[in-house]
Amino acid sequence: MRRCRTPPQVHTQSVKGTAGKDSGVLSKSTAYPFSELEAKWQAFWLEHKTFRTPELAELDTSRPKAYILDMFPYPSGAGLHVGHPEGYTATDIMARLRRMQGHNVLHPIGWDAFGLPAEQYALQTGTHPAVTTERNIARFRQQLQALGFSYDWDREVCTTDPDYYRWTQWIFLQLFKRGLAYQAEVPVNWCPALGTVLANEEVIDGKSERGSHPVVRLPMKQWMLRITAYADRLLEDLEGLDWADSIKDMQRNWIGRSEGALIRFAVQGGPGAVVGGDAQLEVFTTRPDTLFGATYLVVAPEHALLGALTSGVQRAAVAAYVKAAAAKSELERTELQKKKTGVFTGSHAINPATGEAVPVWVADYVLGGYGSGAIMAVPAHDARDYEFATAFDLPVRRVVAPAADGVGRDSESDLPFTGEGVAVNSTAEAAGLSLDGLDTAAAAARTVAWLAQRACGEAKVSYKLRDWLFARQRYWGEPFPIVYAEGSDEPMAVDEGDLPLVLPETDDFRPSGTPESPLANITSWVNITDPQTGQRLRRETSTMPQWAGSCWYYLRYLQPWNAERLVDPAAERYWLPVDLYVGGAEHAVLHLLYARFWHKVLFDLGVVSTREPFQRLVSQGMILGEVEYTVFQDSSGAYVDEGDPDATPVRVAEADVEKTGRGHVLRADPGVLVNARAHKMSKSRGNVVNPDDVVAAYGADSLRLYEMFMGPLRDTKVWNTRSVDGVHRFLARVFRMCTGGLSDDPPSREQLRLLHATIKRVTDETEALRFNTGIAAMMEFVNGVFKWEGTPPRAALEPFVLLLAPYAPHLAEEMWQVLGHSESLAYESWPSYDEALLVQDTVNLPVQVNGKLRGAVEVRKDAEQPAAEEAARALPSAAKFLDGKPVRKVVYVPGRILNFIVGK
């Protein structure tokens, strides 16, 4: 009896919940009893601690290890949306695979729970951030467990737990003692409305990312971490990492190592300027060969000498400009600024090569934190300088010509010329410096040597990377383990034995009204007396940024219960580095760079044995919300183009749209083009898809499988709730395949060939993180089984269920039990394949009569002509054209074709 080839009929019943703004009410499928079996196995895994990783002393360390890690989530009040489980599913598949391959697996989870959102919620509602955080964590934990992720919940950590941040504070003290944590007055992004300093990435167009409040730049004494001391090591050690080149390049660009020269220009103060007669302006340049082309200098609005440089007549204009610049983000001042602005300070500087007095300007395209905060402007050979010089009618002097021009030319037709070439117009006999005719490298080397000889410059390496601003004016963060003696601003370390320094309990989270944090309001906590000496002390009132706890959490997972040390050396040596780290590309620079920096400090301290924390890094692509369909209408309701000044976007339903050769159009009016676009999921757009709704309607296994089947892991993909039904039907077929009766007969060779080909493909595709094609291979297997004659052999289905287990673990566990096993399959051996069974020893031989295809017959690949001809003659579709007719000739190409030439 042939088994049913068609998918099972899917019946539905209504369940509450929506998946996106326009999705309507989802219906719960009854294709197979996923709700019951998923709840059953989730409870089993928790009760039996199936995925607990034993302590090191309990492990067989002769087995290979696999430390598989997710970038741990911030537990927001909104809970997960369907974009979050993508990376978690990928790591879970790999963790389950490695367990079945005999590895000791560490697959933990935790919570990055300090930060501004919880504090802002506390201000709005009066709810303590600890209460909000605990509630949000419970919600996230429930959602993750409902998706069947195989985390070791005994190793769960939370950055807000004093037992955790005790060690964050301990690490800070090591940085402080080594001179890597220090205080400096630096320009910061101060948001009066939020009452805190914001990181650059938290400021958009001069406003806070959260709340869109105005942000101003002002100088403030802040804690800094000397990450620049590790810049070269952070660059060099990228080479040995299994990371995408694009991520490595982003880190290299962020570090921005540049070789060049530091040049000192003597200052000539203008009328009313108070700069000293021996004052100098230091500039860094990567092109010292262009010194002769420096026709003006620019200082940043934050430059320490700006006030002294400013002449009396220019003072008001400079002050107004500095105030305006303080309201701009660094991005606005650099990449996004189209028109250059600036003000002349009234003072000049002396070009050491030409002896020429060149004007000193203040302009916000120069940043105070990069280099020396001042530049020598060479407008003929720098695009930004050229734009500025053009705007303010400043001299443009060519000093480099393309190499093909030999001695060069003075035409401005190709300016600014930013490439390398030959020096021109670069000789000053009085100064003893001539560069004309030298190539760029030689001219630069001669200039640096000349500067050093005259003590007005030297070779220097500079970095775009700046020291890490490591303080926030918030309550909800790690307190600094720092105190000050009464009347002193000199920081002193808290004794390590007194850690953790715990946040004080308070119901008042309001900003202090000054750049200090809300902790400054709690005077009983701030002002203390040393019980040993009786000395009056003052605690630091800033708190650490959210980055702090996430810099080292991968280490605490190794022994979250260890009260004696951050981590035991033996456990660290066994488990590190992390073998697979998966997270969003938005963390490609800051989190990864900060974590690498802390790890290198811990390496120097002997706390860790590896130079790098994360050996392999994979960034999953973003999942966008469902496609939105939009037309544009003017105020009269007429359809207009998107670019029309009076255009207003109007959403239309997908049912009202059809796709044509010219794009999407309105079904009722094909002349109207429809904008079809998917957007990043956000509450403001109303396109967030709640995974709980999808799980209720289709099950966790279907959600997991769909997210992996959407496309390559690293690609951006568009969510479509209706498409979940396709993978759900596949799982329902697996359920029917395993519960519809089994045979204990041994599989045929053809059945074994399909099985072993599937094992090979699924293994290879899973190892390569090509999960979508691994799923496709399993679908092909199931299709093949439904074509088999008779009842499928148990021995062919058991290995398949093991292949399915990392992807759809609940269904696989249930089917494993259906197949007669009493134990969980979590640690069953991963199936292996026999290469000999993958060799195809038969072919489908096309059969023709007089050149027309009449069918095909299966024969051995090496079949001789008589055997092939005999099989072909027995083919009914060919036999009727041969009956009673003389065969004049037979053309046989082994493995390719057999053609009977017959007469009438």
Side-chain angles (χ1 to χ4, degrees), residues 720-744:
N720 186 333
T721 300
R722 292 184 304 281
S723 297
V724 181
D725 188 64
V727 295
H728 182 69
R729 286 177 178 272
F730 161 69
L731 293 176
R733 296 190 81 196
V734 172
F735 181 85
R736 287 169 58 89
M737 180 179 75
C738 295
T739 58
L742 300 171
S743 165
D744 290 324

PDB file of all heavy atoms in Angstrom, residues 720-744:
ATOM      1  N   ASN A 720       7.025  37.310   7.556  1.00  0.00           N
ATOM      2  CA  ASN A 720       5.700  37.115   6.976  1.00  0.00           C
ATOM      3  C   ASN A 720       5.014  36.021   7.786  1.00  0.00           C
ATOM      4  O   ASN A 720       5.349  34.837   7.671  1.00  0.00           O
ATOM      5  CB  ASN A 720       5.800  36.703   5.504  1.00  0.00           C
ATOM      6  CG  ASN A 720       4.444  36.644   4.832  1.00  0.00           C
ATOM      7  OD1 ASN A 720       3.417  36.416   5.478  1.00  0.00           O
ATOM      8  ND2 ASN A 720       4.416  36.839   3.527  1.00  0.00           N
ATOM      9  N   THR A 721       4.072  36.418   8.624  1.00  0.00           N
ATOM     10  CA  THR A 721       3.437  35.467   9.536  1.00  0.00           C
ATOM     11  C   THR A 721       2.780  34.307   8.788  1.00  0.00           C
ATOM     12  O   THR A 721       2.826  33.150   9.239  1.00  0.00           O
ATOM     13  CB  THR A 721       2.390  36.182  10.408  1.00  0.00           C
ATOM     14  OG1 THR A 721       3.038  37.212  11.162  1.00  0.00           O
ATOM     15  CG2 THR A 721       1.713  35.220  11.369  1.00  0.00           C
ATOM     16  N   ARG A 722       2.197  34.589   7.636  1.00  0.00           N
ATOM     17  CA  ARG A 722       1.525  33.512   6.899  1.00  0.00           C
ATOM     18  C   ARG A 722       2.497  32.422   6.464  1.00  0.00           C
ATOM     19  O   ARG A 722       2.105  31.266   6.299  1.00  0.00           O
ATOM     20  CB  ARG A 722       0.812  34.100   5.672  1.00  0.00           C
ATOM     21  CG  ARG A 722      -0.372  34.996   6.021  1.00  0.00           C
ATOM     22  CD  ARG A 722      -1.102  35.460   4.764  1.00  0.00           C
ATOM     23  NE  ARG A 722      -0.198  36.127   3.836  1.00  0.00           N
ATOM     24  CZ  ARG A 722       0.212  37.392   3.959  1.00  0.00           C
ATOM     25  NH1 ARG A 722      -0.195  38.106   4.996  1.00  0.00           N
ATOM     26  NH2 ARG A 722       1.013  37.943   3.067  1.00  0.00           N
ATOM     27  N   SER A 723       3.752  32.779   6.277  1.00  0.00           N
ATOM     28  CA  SER A 723       4.728  31.789   5.812  1.00  0.00           C
ATOM     29  C   SER A 723       5.111  30.790   6.896  1.00  0.00           C
ATOM     30  O   SER A 723       5.696  29.747   6.590  1.00  0.00           O
ATOM     31  CB  SER A 723       5.978  32.498   5.293  1.00  0.00           C
ATOM     32  OG  SER A 723       5.670  33.297   4.170  1.00  0.00           O
ATOM     33  N   VAL A 724       4.801  31.103   8.155  1.00  0.00           N
ATOM     34  CA  VAL A 724       5.077  30.135   9.218  1.00  0.00           C
ATOM     35  C   VAL A 724       4.299  28.846   8.968  1.00  0.00           C
ATOM     36  O   VAL A 724       4.737  27.746   9.335  1.00  0.00           O
ATOM     37  CB  VAL A 724       4.716  30.730  10.599  1.00  0.00           C
ATOM     38  CG1 VAL A 724       5.019  29.735  11.719  1.00  0.00           C
ATOM     39  CG2 VAL A 724       5.458  32.041  10.836  1.00  0.00           C
ATOM     40  N   ASP A 725       3.169  28.982   8.312  1.00  0.00           N
ATOM     41  CA  ASP A 725       2.320  27.814   8.063  1.00  0.00           C
ATOM     42  C   ASP A 725       3.056  26.741   7.254  1.00  0.00           C
ATOM     43  O   ASP A 725       2.817  25.546   7.439  1.00  0.00           O
ATOM     44  CB  ASP A 725       1.049  28.258   7.329  1.00  0.00           C
ATOM     45  CG  ASP A 725       0.041  27.134   7.215  1.00  0.00           C
ATOM     46  OD1 ASP A 725      -0.462  26.674   8.254  1.00  0.00           O
ATOM     47  OD2 ASP A 725      -0.227  26.702   6.071  1.00  0.00           O
ATOM     48  N   GLY A 726       3.955  27.166   6.366  1.00  0.00           N
ATOM     49  CA  GLY A 726       4.664  26.194   5.532  1.00  0.00           C
ATOM     50  C   GLY A 726       5.530  25.253   6.347  1.00  0.00           C
ATOM     51  O   GLY A 726       5.465  24.019   6.170  1.00  0.00           O
ATOM     52  N   VAL A 727       6.350  25.797   7.252  1.00  0.00           N
ATOM     53  CA  VAL A 727       7.196  24.922   8.070  1.00  0.00           C
ATOM     54  C   VAL A 727       6.349  24.164   9.088  1.00  0.00           C
ATOM     55  O   VAL A 727       6.685  23.032   9.473  1.00  0.00           O
ATOM     56  CB  VAL A 727       8.317  25.719   8.774  1.00  0.00           C
ATOM     57  CG1 VAL A 727       9.280  26.300   7.761  1.00  0.00           C
ATOM     58  CG2 VAL A 727       7.759  26.811   9.669  1.00  0.00           C
ATOM     59  N   HIS A 728       5.249  24.753   9.522  1.00  0.00           N
ATOM     60  CA  HIS A 728       4.367  24.047  10.450  1.00  0.00           C
ATOM     61  C   HIS A 728       3.785  22.795   9.794  1.00  0.00           C
ATOM     62  O   HIS A 728       3.686  21.731  10.422  1.00  0.00           O
ATOM     63  CB  HIS A 728       3.247  24.990  10.902  1.00  0.00           C
ATOM     64  CG  HIS A 728       2.305  24.384  11.889  1.00  0.00           C
ATOM     65  ND1 HIS A 728       2.680  24.077  13.183  1.00  0.00           N
ATOM     66  CD2 HIS A 728       1.005  24.009  11.766  1.00  0.00           C
ATOM     67  CE1 HIS A 728       1.651  23.555  13.819  1.00  0.00           C
ATOM     68  NE2 HIS A 728       0.616  23.497  12.988  1.00  0.00           N
ATOM     69  N   ARG A 729       3.405  22.907   8.540  1.00  0.00           N
ATOM     70  CA  ARG A 729       2.893  21.743   7.811  1.00  0.00           C
ATOM     71  C   ARG A 729       3.973  20.663   7.683  1.00  0.00           C
ATOM     72  O   ARG A 729       3.688  19.463   7.754  1.00  0.00           O
ATOM     73  CB  ARG A 729       2.386  22.163   6.434  1.00  0.00           C
ATOM     74  CG  ARG A 729       1.063  22.922   6.469  1.00  0.00           C
ATOM     75  CD  ARG A 729       0.651  23.387   5.073  1.00  0.00           C
ATOM     76  NE  ARG A 729      -0.632  24.058   5.095  1.00  0.00           N
ATOM     77  CZ  ARG A 729      -1.807  23.449   4.983  1.00  0.00           C
ATOM     78  NH1 ARG A 729      -1.845  22.132   4.839  1.00  0.00           N
ATOM     79  NH2 ARG A 729      -2.932  24.126   5.007  1.00  0.00           N
ATOM     80  N   PHE A 730       5.199  21.092   7.484  1.00  0.00           N
ATOM     81  CA  PHE A 730       6.300  20.121   7.418  1.00  0.00           C
ATOM     82  C   PHE A 730       6.411  19.358   8.735  1.00  0.00           C
ATOM     83  O   PHE A 730       6.539  18.117   8.748  1.00  0.00           O
ATOM     84  CB  PHE A 730       7.611  20.850   7.099  1.00  0.00           C
ATOM     85  CG  PHE A 730       8.844  20.068   7.449  1.00  0.00           C
ATOM     86  CD1 PHE A 730       9.186  18.931   6.743  1.00  0.00           C
ATOM     87  CD2 PHE A 730       9.663  20.468   8.507  1.00  0.00           C
ATOM     88  CE1 PHE A 730      10.323  18.200   7.076  1.00  0.00           C
ATOM     89  CE2 PHE A 730      10.794  19.747   8.847  1.00  0.00           C
ATOM     90  CZ  PHE A 730      11.122  18.606   8.123  1.00  0.00           C
ATOM     91  N   LEU A 731       6.350  20.063   9.858  1.00  0.00           N
ATOM     92  CA  LEU A 731       6.437  19.389  11.157  1.00  0.00           C
ATOM     93  C   LEU A 731       5.254  18.455  11.376  1.00  0.00           C
ATOM     94  O   LEU A 731       5.399  17.376  11.964  1.00  0.00           O
ATOM     95  CB  LEU A 731       6.528  20.430  12.277  1.00  0.00           C
ATOM     96  CG  LEU A 731       7.805  21.271  12.303  1.00  0.00           C
ATOM     97  CD1 LEU A 731       7.734  22.326  13.400  1.00  0.00           C
ATOM     98  CD2 LEU A 731       9.042  20.404  12.502  1.00  0.00           C
ATOM     99  N   ALA A 732       4.079  18.870  10.904  1.00  0.00           N
ATOM    100  CA  ALA A 732       2.908  17.996  11.017  1.00  0.00           C
ATOM    101  C   ALA A 732       3.112  16.719  10.205  1.00  0.00           C
ATOM    102  O   ALA A 732       2.695  15.629  10.616  1.00  0.00           O
ATOM    103  CB  ALA A 732       1.657  18.735  10.549  1.00  0.00           C
ATOM    104  N   ARG A 733       3.764  16.819   9.063  1.00  0.00           N
ATOM    105  CA  ARG A 733       4.056  15.619   8.258  1.00  0.00           C
ATOM    106  C   ARG A 733       5.037  14.697   8.994  1.00  0.00           C
ATOM    107  O   ARG A 733       4.919  13.468   8.934  1.00  0.00           O
ATOM    108  CB  ARG A 733       4.636  16.016   6.904  1.00  0.00           C
ATOM    109  CG  ARG A 733       3.693  16.809   6.018  1.00  0.00           C
ATOM    110  CD  ARG A 733       4.279  16.942   4.617  1.00  0.00           C
ATOM    111  NE  ARG A 733       4.035  15.743   3.829  1.00  0.00           N
ATOM    112  CZ  ARG A 733       4.683  15.444   2.706  1.00  0.00           C
ATOM    113  NH1 ARG A 733       5.629  16.247   2.251  1.00  0.00           N
ATOM    114  NH2 ARG A 733       4.396  14.342   2.024  1.00  0.00           N
ATOM    115  N   VAL A 734       6.018  15.307   9.681  1.00  0.00           N
ATOM    116  CA  VAL A 734       6.948  14.498  10.474  1.00  0.00           C
ATOM    117  C   VAL A 734       6.180  13.741  11.558  1.00  0.00           C
ATOM    118  O   VAL A 734       6.416  12.544  11.793  1.00  0.00           O
ATOM    119  CB  VAL A 734       8.041  15.383  11.108  1.00  0.00           C
ATOM    120  CG1 VAL A 734       8.898  14.572  12.086  1.00  0.00           C
ATOM    121  CG2 VAL A 734       8.919  16.015  10.032  1.00  0.00           C
ATOM    122  N   PHE A 735       5.260  14.433  12.210  1.00  0.00           N
ATOM    123  CA  PHE A 735       4.443  13.792  13.245  1.00  0.00           C
ATOM    124  C   PHE A 735       3.674  12.615  12.663  1.00  0.00           C
ATOM    125  O   PHE A 735       3.668  11.510  13.230  1.00  0.00           O
ATOM    126  CB  PHE A 735       3.477  14.828  13.837  1.00  0.00           C
ATOM    127  CG  PHE A 735       2.607  14.306  14.933  1.00  0.00           C
ATOM    128  CD1 PHE A 735       3.049  14.279  16.239  1.00  0.00           C
ATOM    129  CD2 PHE A 735       1.329  13.818  14.652  1.00  0.00           C
ATOM    130  CE1 PHE A 735       2.244  13.799  17.263  1.00  0.00           C
ATOM    131  CE2 PHE A 735       0.515  13.331  15.666  1.00  0.00           C
ATOM    132  CZ  PHE A 735       0.973  13.321  16.969  1.00  0.00           C
ATOM    133  N   ARG A 736       3.044  12.804  11.519  1.00  0.00           N
ATOM    134  CA  ARG A 736       2.281  11.719  10.874  1.00  0.00           C
ATOM    135  C   ARG A 736       3.209  10.598  10.411  1.00  0.00           C
ATOM    136  O   ARG A 736       2.867   9.424  10.490  1.00  0.00           O
ATOM    137  CB  ARG A 736       1.491  12.274   9.692  1.00  0.00           C
ATOM    138  CG  ARG A 736       0.271  13.125  10.114  1.00  0.00           C
ATOM    139  CD  ARG A 736      -0.301  13.871   8.919  1.00  0.00           C
ATOM    140  NE  ARG A 736      -0.711  12.989   7.846  1.00  0.00           N
ATOM    141  CZ  ARG A 736      -1.923  12.453   7.737  1.00  0.00           C
ATOM    142  NH1 ARG A 736      -2.840  12.715   8.648  1.00  0.00           N
ATOM    143  NH2 ARG A 736      -2.231  11.665   6.723  1.00  0.00           N
ATOM    144  N   MET A 737       4.383  10.985   9.913  1.00  0.00           N
ATOM    145  CA  MET A 737       5.340   9.996   9.408  1.00  0.00           C
ATOM    146  C   MET A 737       5.753   9.035  10.517  1.00  0.00           C
ATOM    147  O   MET A 737       5.912   7.819  10.291  1.00  0.00           O
ATOM    148  CB  MET A 737       6.559  10.733   8.858  1.00  0.00           C
ATOM    149  CG  MET A 737       7.641   9.840   8.287  1.00  0.00           C
ATOM    150  SD  MET A 737       9.031  10.832   7.629  1.00  0.00           S
ATOM    151  CE  MET A 737       9.832  11.334   9.149  1.00  0.00           C
ATOM    152  N   CYS A 738       5.936   9.566  11.747  1.00  0.00           N
ATOM    153  CA  CYS A 738       6.427   8.741  12.846  1.00  0.00           C
ATOM    154  C   CYS A 738       5.312   8.044  13.616  1.00  0.00           C
ATOM    155  O   CYS A 738       5.569   7.102  14.368  1.00  0.00           O
ATOM    156  CB  CYS A 738       7.255   9.590  13.808  1.00  0.00           C
ATOM    157  SG  CYS A 738       8.771  10.260  13.100  1.00  0.00           S
ATOM    158  N   THR A 739       4.087   8.524  13.468  1.00  0.00           N
ATOM    159  CA  THR A 739       2.973   7.951  14.243  1.00  0.00           C
ATOM    160  C   THR A 739       2.002   7.163  13.376  1.00  0.00           C
ATOM    161  O   THR A 739       0.999   6.661  13.881  1.00  0.00           O
ATOM    162  CB  THR A 739       2.204   9.077  14.973  1.00  0.00           C
ATOM    163  OG1 THR A 739       1.718  10.021  14.010  1.00  0.00           O
ATOM    164  CG2 THR A 739       3.085   9.781  15.989  1.00  0.00           C
ATOM    165  N   GLY A 740       2.303   7.021  12.091  1.00  0.00           N
ATOM    166  CA  GLY A 740       1.367   6.351  11.195  1.00  0.00           C
ATOM    167  C   GLY A 740       1.667   4.887  10.975  1.00  0.00           C
ATOM    168  O   GLY A 740       1.193   4.303  10.001  1.00  0.00           O
ATOM    169  N   GLY A 741       2.438   4.278  11.850  1.00  0.00           N
ATOM    170  CA  GLY A 741       2.782   2.864  11.696  1.00  0.00           C
ATOM    171  C   GLY A 741       4.198   2.715  11.175  1.00  0.00           C
ATOM    172  O   GLY A 741       4.596   3.387  10.211  1.00  0.00           O
ATOM    173  N   LEU A 742       4.980   1.812  11.804  1.00  0.00           N
ATOM    174  CA  LEU A 742       6.384   1.625  11.447  1.00  0.00           C
ATOM    175  C   LEU A 742       6.666   0.149  11.214  1.00  0.00           C
ATOM    176  O   LEU A 742       6.014  -0.732  11.777  1.00  0.00           O
ATOM    177  CB  LEU A 742       7.293   2.153  12.558  1.00  0.00           C
ATOM    178  CG  LEU A 742       7.153   3.657  12.888  1.00  0.00           C
ATOM    179  CD1 LEU A 742       7.949   3.986  14.135  1.00  0.00           C
ATOM    180  CD2 LEU A 742       7.614   4.496  11.714  1.00  0.00           C
ATOM    181  N   SER A 743       7.662  -0.102  10.419  1.00  0.00           N
ATOM    182  CA  SER A 743       8.084  -1.467  10.129  1.00  0.00           C
ATOM    183  C   SER A 743       9.425  -1.729  10.813  1.00  0.00           C
ATOM    184  O   SER A 743      10.265  -0.836  10.907  1.00  0.00           O
ATOM    185  CB  SER A 743       8.231  -1.650   8.615  1.00  0.00           C
ATOM    186  OG  SER A 743       8.958  -2.819   8.322  1.00  0.00           O
ATOM    187  N   ASP A 744       9.615  -2.960  11.277  1.00  0.00           N
ATOM    188  CA  ASP A 744      10.903  -3.349  11.836  1.00  0.00           C
ATOM    189  C   ASP A 744      11.796  -4.003  10.797  1.00  0.00           C
ATOM    190  O   ASP A 744      12.882  -4.507  11.123  1.00  0.00           O
ATOM    191  CB  ASP A 744      10.699  -4.306  13.018  1.00  0.00           C
ATOM    192  CG  ASP A 744      10.107  -3.581  14.224  1.00  0.00           C
ATOM    193  OD1 ASP A 744      10.481  -2.406  14.437  1.00  0.00           O
ATOM    194  OD2 ASP A 744       9.280  -4.177  14.942  1.00  0.00           O
TER     195      ASP A 744
END
